[in-house]
Amino acid sequence: MSLLSSISRWLGVFVLGVAMALHIAGYDPCIGYYHQISHSRQSLACDLMEPLRPLADRLCLRMVAQQTLRAEHFTHTNTGGACLLGKAGRVRYYQAYEENARPLRRAISAQVKALAQRINPELPQPATNLKAPTADESYALDD
């Protein structure tokens, strides 16, 4: 089983959540400070995600320890030896993600607000709190 595959998926979802919060707050997630600007890379989102990265590791380790993800959820390709999370594993993965997303969303919100405060302390705090969507709506702001 590949823990790296789980962490990679978690980080991808994580960066998208940070990028969404940045958009909501009025920032461009592609213009970062530490990660170089590159085509289709959300550099600022990656910058803000780095201090929170241990959350990804912790969740992935917990999913493996609790056997949320098991060896049968992964496949290996013949070419390149890539380890892929299968459909059943993805279902379990995203379910575990949503069950653990509240602290992540609070941490993302805090990071974006801290950035806004550093950029211009005179401006009011931006709205950044995300709530999980229901089946028939997209992500929206918490009140």
Side-chain angles (χ1 to χ4, degrees), residues 57-88:
D57 297 341
R58 196 173 320 141
L59 176 66
C60 291
L61 288 170
R62 187 179 319 134
M63 285 193 291
V64 171
Q66 295 174 347
Q67 295 192 352
T68 302
L69 295 177
R70 296 186 301 270
E72 62 265 16
H73 294 124
F74 295 88
T75 58
H76 294 275
T77 62
N78 292 336
T79 57
C83 181
L84 305 173
L85 188 59
K87 185 175 181 177

Side-chain angles (χ1 to χ4, degrees), residues 105-125:
R105 290 184 181 118
R106 279 195 301 266
I108 290 170
S109 176
Q111 285 289 88
V112 173
K113 286 180 180 181
L115 173 70
Q117 184 67 27
R118 281 186 216 110
I119 290 174
N120 191 344
E122 304 296 320
L123 290 177
Q125 289 292 313

Side-chain angles (χ1 to χ4, degrees), residues 5-85:
S5 176
S6 300
I7 291 173
S8 176
R9 180 167 299 275
W10 171 263
L11 292 176
V13 172
F14 199 1
V15 168
L16 290 176
V18 175
M20 195 178 316
L22 286 165
H23 274 296
I24 290 169
Y27 294 101
D28 184 344
C30 295
I31 301 174
Y33 296 97
Y34 301 113
H35 288 81
Q36 288 183 342
I37 294 174
S38 178
H39 178 69
S40 76
R41 177 191 296 154
Q42 298 179 345
S43 298
L44 183 56
C46 291
D47 291 347
L48 294 183
M49 180 217 53
E50 286 299 333
L52 306 174
R53 196 169 176 161
L55 294 173
D57 297 341
R58 196 173 320 141
L59 176 66
C60 291
L61 288 170
R62 187 179 319 134
M63 285 193 291
V64 171
Q66 295 174 347
Q67 295 192 352
T68 302
L69 295 177
R70 296 186 301 270
E72 62 265 16
H73 294 124
F74 295 88
T75 58
H76 294 275
T77 62
N78 292 336
T79 57
C83 181
L84 305 173
L85 188 59

